[in-house]
Amino acid sequence: MGFLSIILDATTAIDQSVSLTPAPEAKMNLFDLTLKGGIVMIPIGLLSIIAIFIFFERYFVIRKAGKEDKNFMSRIRNYIHGGKIDSALDLCKTTDTPSARMIEKGITRLGRPMGDVLVAIENVGNIEISRLEKGFPLVATAAAAAPMLGFLGTVTGMVRAFFDMSNAGAALDMSVLSKGIYEALVTTVAGLIVGIIALFAYNYLVSMVNNVVNKMEARTMDFMDLLNEPI
């Protein structure tokens, strides 16, 4: 009897330890977490796609616009001082940069007052800057609108949680509130992530454009000085 009681006690202890062993934790991937954000995640996702597309498209365009031939202005100077205006124009046309297009416009205005030449160059420069900044308002909108949409999802999620809680009555448990709480938290996180990334992307693109503008202004001054140089 003593040996049998020991076996029964051991079996009971094993059963208790098995019953106390925690169940495997449920794992959730990013896709499942996104779905729990509700319908508000759709516009947030669209904003993220738009911001990413515009960033990379503008990045390569602005980077290309910022590349310059170091010998460009010296060749222009030699052509103009040598009376080879057509060669200078051909060089500007084959050089695909905003600065080259500005110089080309200035060359076509040779013989007119210096003020007219400078105004013509500045007008082309303004057009080039507008082209470089194409799509910037959409990136800025994504940076501002994504967090607001996230907060909207927070409000709608909490409304849903309280609505489910009121309908649950005495059968209330955390599973009833989980859908609304998930929606509230997931949309907030998603909106903040998209907004922060879009804000950094916008500021980085603006800094790239500013660098190109500085180069354009430098080339403009070089060209105006060139026209005042003695031949």
Side-chain angles (χ1 to χ4, degrees):
M1 290 297 291
F3 180 72
L4 181 60
S5 63
I6 293 174
I7 295 176
L8 291 176
D9 292 339
T11 304
T12 304
I14 293 173
D15 292 339
Q16 291 177 351
S17 63
V18 171
S19 62
L20 294 175
T21 302
E25 295 182 358
K27 296 183 178 180
M28 182 181 300
N29 56 39
L30 182 61
F31 180 75
D32 293 335
L33 193 62
T34 302
L35 291 180
K36 290 184 178 296
I39 195 172
V40 181
M41 293 294 293
I42 296 177
I44 294 177
L46 291 176
L47 287 176
S48 66
I49 294 173
I50 292 173
I52 292 173
F53 173 79
I54 294 176
F55 172 76
F56 284 104
E57 189 269 338
R58 287 292 93 189
Y59 172 81
F60 291 109
V61 170
I62 299 170
R63 184 180 178 183
K64 180 181 178 182
K67 292 182 177 180
E68 288 187 339
D69 183 3
K70 296 181 179 179
N71 298 322
F72 176 77
M73 287 307 301
S74 62
R75 295 174 65 185
I76 291 293
R77 179 180 289 102
N78 293 334
Y79 285 142
I80 292 179
H81 287 176
K84 300 178 181 179
I85 304 301
D86 292 337
S87 298
L89 289 173
D90 291 338
L91 177 60
C92 292
K93 291 177 181 179
T94 56
T95 304
D96 187 18
T97 62
S99 299
R101 286 185 282 272
M102 293 169 60
I103 301 303
E104 179 185 358
K105 177 60 69 174
I107 294 174
T108 60
R109 295 295 188 270
L110 290 178
R112 297 188 180 183
M114 296 292 289
D116 294 343
V117 176
L118 182 59
V119 169
I121 293 175
E122 290 177 345
N123 290 337
V124 174
N126 291 332
I127 295 174
E128 293 294 331
I129 294 172
S130 298
R131 290 176 179 174
L132 293 177
E133 293 178 343
K134 180 182 178 182
F136 279 25
L138 290 177
V139 180
T141 300
M148 298 302 294
L149 288 171
F151 293 145
L152 175 62
T154 301
V155 174
T156 57
M158 295 308 297
V159 169
R160 179 177 180 176
F162 282 111
F163 179 78
D164 294 340
M165 182 174 62
S166 64
N167 288 335
L172 176 65
D173 58 15
M174 285 304 299
S175 63
V176 176
L177 303 177
S178 62
K179 292 183 179 180
I181 295 175
Y182 265 123
E183 180 177 339
L185 297 179
V186 171
T187 53
T188 301
V189 173
L192 290 174
I193 291 174
V194 173
I196 292 171
I197 294 176
L199 179 61
F200 278 103
Y202 175 79
N203 289 331
Y204 184 75
L205 292 176
V206 169
S207 66
M208 292 183 67
V209 171
N210 289 336
N211 291 333
V212 176
V213 170
N214 292 334
K215 293 180 181 179
M216 293 166 61
E217 292 176 348
R219 298 295 82 78
T220 300
M221 294 298 101
D222 291 341
F223 181 74
M224 299 305 296
D225 292 340
L226 182 157
L227 298 181
N228 291 322
E229 291 178 356
I231 299 177

